[in-house]
Amino acid sequence: MSWSYKKTDRTEVHMNFVAPEGADLLNREVLFPLAQVQAPDYAATIAATIKQMQNFIQPAELTGNATLNLTINAQVTAGARLHLKLSADATARTLTLGTGFDAAAENIVVPANTTLFAAFEYDGTSFLPCSFDEVELGALAARMTAVEADIVALEGSEVLSPAYGATLAVTIEKKETFLQPAELTGNATINLTIGEAVPVGAKLHLKLDADATDRTVTLGTGFDAGLASIVVAATKVAFVTFTYNGTAFVPAYSVPATA
């Protein structure tokens, strides 16, 4: 198969194509592979007309849930592509895939403040998902959130300096924590709440100051029983480092610090 035309300078241009095999394909017409970009405003129902072989639909930021309905022009042939770019505002938004999409295609959940991309291909009747036909995007979004939390936990360290109290409730959220309560003017118990994103191997560095009297610090929730308490001698400072084993913080040694 060949195609030719003459340019304005009278130069002839020729293009050759290989004819497809198969009797049912020999007389088939195909659409020229042009592309079109559409950027419709946000609306609860977004209508788009598909006329080319490469189609880019990039709606304005989703400020609510939406339904995308396609009108597929008769000239579009099988193999046409549809590329979606979807952005959500500060709330997770759901895009319902309506007219023109395969009925089995999952709706798309766009997490808050996130942009998602999705691709579809035309089978001659409707557009089928190419990239997430077996992936539940809601679960993927949840996993992305969990990964982001893991990254936050792995970044840097934190210094916590709570006021003295008979019971100190402390939340651990980072890979490395420096816990430095105010001077102990009485005995105390430290209870930890350990964030889900805190990794195994995380470090907790405990610094304890006693006033003019010996003070006992009981290690409660979140600590391994290997070191039940620490006695801090009067006017002295005790330092103890702990490592997280996935369940509790384990002390570097099991002898209470007394000086």
Side-chain angles (χ1 to χ4, degrees):
M1 186 190 318
S2 63
W3 177 84
S4 65
Y5 75 98
K6 186 174 291 186
K7 298 168 64 175
T8 55
D9 62 359
R10 314 289 299 175
T11 301
E12 290 188 350
V13 176
H14 299 274
M15 295 183 182
N16 294 312
F17 301 88
V18 176
E21 295 184 0
D24 61 330
L25 299 176
L26 292 179
N27 296 317
R28 180 169 296 184
E29 292 183 339
V30 294
L31 182 61
F32 201 81
L34 293 178
Q36 181 180 23
V37 178
Q38 302 180 55
D41 293 334
Y42 165 73
T45 300
I46 300 172
T49 299
I50 303 300
K51 299 180 66 175
Q52 306 301 335
M53 291 300 287
Q54 294 289 338
N55 303 273
F56 298 83
I57 298 181
Q58 305 170 351
E61 182 180 72
L62 302 178
T63 55
N65 296 331
T67 297
L68 178 59
N69 291 326
L70 305 178
T71 298
I72 304 171
N73 190 280
Q75 72 175 359
V76 178
T77 53
R81 280 283 185 127
L82 171 60
H83 308 273
L84 295 183
K85 178 182 178 181
L86 305 168
S87 298
D89 59 5
T91 301
R93 303 299 183 184
T94 298
L95 181 76
T96 299
L97 302 178
T99 307
F101 291 95
D102 187 276
E106 297 282 348
N107 296 332
I108 302 175
V109 178
V110 186
N113 300 310
T114 300
T115 298
L116 286 185
F117 298 87
F120 301 79
E121 190 155 348
Y122 188 52
D123 68 356
T125 302
S126 59
F127 278 90
L128 282 65
C130 297
S131 54
F132 59 90
D133 52 334
E134 295 182 358
V135 177
E136 208 294 303
L137 286 181
L140 178 60
R143 178 56 188 152
M144 290 171 62
T145 300
V147 170
E148 289 172 357
D150 290 344
I151 292 173
V152 170
L154 290 171
E155 289 177 342
S157 60
E158 59 187 348
V159 178
L160 305 177
S161 301
Y164 167 73
T167 300
L168 300 176
V170 178
T171 299
I172 305 298
E173 297 181 322
K174 293 285 189 176
K175 176 183 176 183
E176 189 162 24
T177 301
F178 296 85
L179 178 55
Q180 305 170 355
E183 183 182 70
L184 303 175
T185 56
N187 296 330
T189 297
I190 300 177
N191 292 324
L192 303 180
T193 298
I194 303 170
E196 293 183 358
V198 175
V200 173
K203 300 293 185 183
L204 171 60
H205 307 283
L206 185 59
K207 177 184 177 183
L208 301 169
D209 288 282
D211 60 5
T213 302
D214 291 353
R215 301 299 181 184
T216 298
V217 176
T218 300
L219 303 177
T221 307
F223 289 97
D224 187 274
L227 181 57
S229 63
I230 301 172
V231 177
V232 187
T235 70
K236 299 296 183 180
V237 179
F239 296 91
V240 185
T241 293
F242 301 81
T243 302
Y244 187 52
N245 67 4
T247 302
F249 277 92
V250 178
Y253 59 91
S254 59
V255 179
T258 57

